[in-house]
Amino acid sequence: MTKPENDSANEAIAAAANTAARVDAHIEAEAHAEPEEVVDTRNAKQVAIDEAKEIFSVVGVALLLVLILRTFLFQPFTIPSASMEPNLYEGDYIIVSKWDYGISKYSFPITLPFIEGRIMNHAPTRGDVVVFKLPRDNKTDYIKRVIGLPGDTVQMRQDQLYINGKPVPATDLGPVEAKDFPGRYATAYSEALPDGRTHKMQDMVKDGRADDTGEFVVPAGNYFVMGDNRDNSLDSRFSPEDPYEPGVGFVPEANLEGRAVLVLMSWKEGSSLWKPWTWLNFHWNRFFKPLH
């Protein structure tokens, strides 16, 4: 005996409805189910090792970028003395361009003795303010202005600078406070070098200890440098062999580290990283001051 067609159709419809209901219920259950937690199958030791690798890789990349920037582009220095007044003062935080003169063994944080001379060497221009390694120890960083180029003759006669036998014009700008001698004043001048560049310098006294010198002939591959604070600068006018006041002498081109281009900021006397209450003791008027 067979069922009537209507009964068969009804049974099929009922079965389909039940199946659809079960599917809807399953979908709804999945929608309200808590998400499954991802289980880290690594043990604690492996997790620690992987995290340490990630940290070291990030730190390594950061250090590499700093090394590249410091070696080839820019490096900060702090001015520790008054030898470059009235252009640089003690506490100035300056930026030095490292790529102006090429690369030498002193361009790196650690001296690399296997580098001879300079790579991609570019000679400094007369009047540049340069940072260099002190020739007598090749360790201490000094900052002075380039006055004499290779082959030049340089001499001081009665407080007057001569380059290649000609006096360097200096225009009196009047008195300026001598920061290295509180309460005293120096005379500021605008000095015009033979190549047309001008800069400020200051002179404390006439007939000072280096206001009359012999004639210096700058050797090939060397430079004659002077501080802008003419009576308070142990520079190329002073012999490095002097037992009482050892100076700079001539500066080999390999010792040049870079050209000072900017005063980024300047701290007042007595400020220190170890004294948080002094961190904002700035000379605000010296921020972002270009150097000439």
Side-chain angles (χ1 to χ4, degrees):
M1 178 181 290
T2 59
K3 293 184 178 179
E5 290 183 3
N6 287 341
D7 290 344
S8 297
N10 289 337
E11 287 179 0
I13 292 172
N18 289 334
T19 301
R22 287 196 300 272
V23 170
D24 289 343
H26 179 70
I27 293 174
E28 184 177 358
E30 284 189 343
H32 290 87
E34 293 292 333
E36 294 184 6
E37 293 186 2
V38 177
V39 178
D40 192 342
T41 58
R42 299 174 299 171
N43 58 37
K45 181 179 179 180
Q46 186 61 45
V47 169
I49 291 174
D50 291 344
E51 290 181 351
K53 287 181 179 178
E54 184 176 354
I55 292 172
F56 281 123
S57 64
V58 171
V59 172
V61 170
L63 290 176
L64 180 60
L65 290 174
V66 170
L67 177 62
I68 293 173
L69 288 172
R70 183 192 182 282
T71 301
F72 301 106
L73 297 178
F74 300 101
Q75 182 177 353
F77 288 88
T78 301
I79 301 301
S81 71
S83 70
M84 287 297 292
E85 292 182 9
N87 297 298
L88 289 171
Y89 291 91
E90 186 175 353
D92 282 353
Y93 189 75
I94 66 171
I95 299 299
V96 172
S97 172
K98 299 294 292 292
W99 49 269
D100 284 52
Y101 308 135
I103 302 167
S104 78
K105 60 184 177 183
Y106 301 116
S107 299
F108 300 85
I110 300 175
T111 301
L112 302 180
F114 55 85
I115 297 180
E116 296 292 336
R118 302 192 71 84
I119 301 171
M120 298 181 293
N121 183 39
H122 297 281
T125 302
R126 195 194 314 275
D128 284 358
V129 178
V130 297
V131 172
F132 57 92
K133 292 295 184 185
L134 183 64
R136 67 172 183 264
D137 66 13
N138 293 323
K139 295 178 181 178
T140 309
D141 295 315
Y142 261 46
I143 183 167
K144 304 291 180 188
R145 189 180 299 275
V146 174
I147 298 296
L149 304 178
D152 282 348
T153 59
V154 181
Q155 186 177 20
M156 292 294 297
R157 304 179 200 165
Q158 297 179 347
D159 222 40
Q160 172 69 57
L161 173 63
Y162 285 77
I163 298 178
N164 296 326
K166 297 180 180 179
V168 175
T171 304
D172 190 332
L173 300 178
V176 61
E177 184 180 358
K179 300 292 186 181
D180 49 335
F181 292 100
R184 295 182 60 184
Y185 287 82
T187 302
Y189 294 89
S190 176
E191 196 168 61
L193 296 172
D195 300 326
R197 297 179 67 180
T198 62
H199 64 272
K200 288 182 179 180
M201 65 92 169
Q202 71 182 37
D203 191 66
M204 283 286 294
V205 296
K206 300 295 182 182
D207 301 321
R209 56 184 175 171
D211 287 340
D212 281 284
T213 70
E215 192 173 72
F216 300 94
V217 180
V218 185
N222 286 263
Y223 296 90
F224 189 96
V225 298
M226 294 176 67
D228 293 337
N229 192 357
R230 294 291 164 79
D231 289 317
N232 191 10
S233 176
L234 290 171
D235 46 43
S236 292
R237 294 172 293 174
F238 295 84
S239 169
E241 283 80 32
D242 190 315
Y244 302 104
E245 291 182 314
V248 171
F250 298 118
V251 178
E253 64 181 10
N255 286 51
L256 299 176
E257 297 180 76
R259 181 173 65 92
V261 295
L262 179 74
V263 178
L264 185 64
M265 61 183 70
S266 182
W267 279 283
K268 294 181 180 179
E269 185 178 359
S271 299
S272 170
L273 290 175
W274 307 110
K275 301 176 183 177
W277 60 91
T278 68
W279 287 354
L280 295 180
N281 287 349
F282 293 121
H283 294 288
W284 295 99
N285 62 327
R286 296 190 61 75
F287 273 50
F288 304 108
K289 185 180 179 65
L291 292 172
H292 302 287

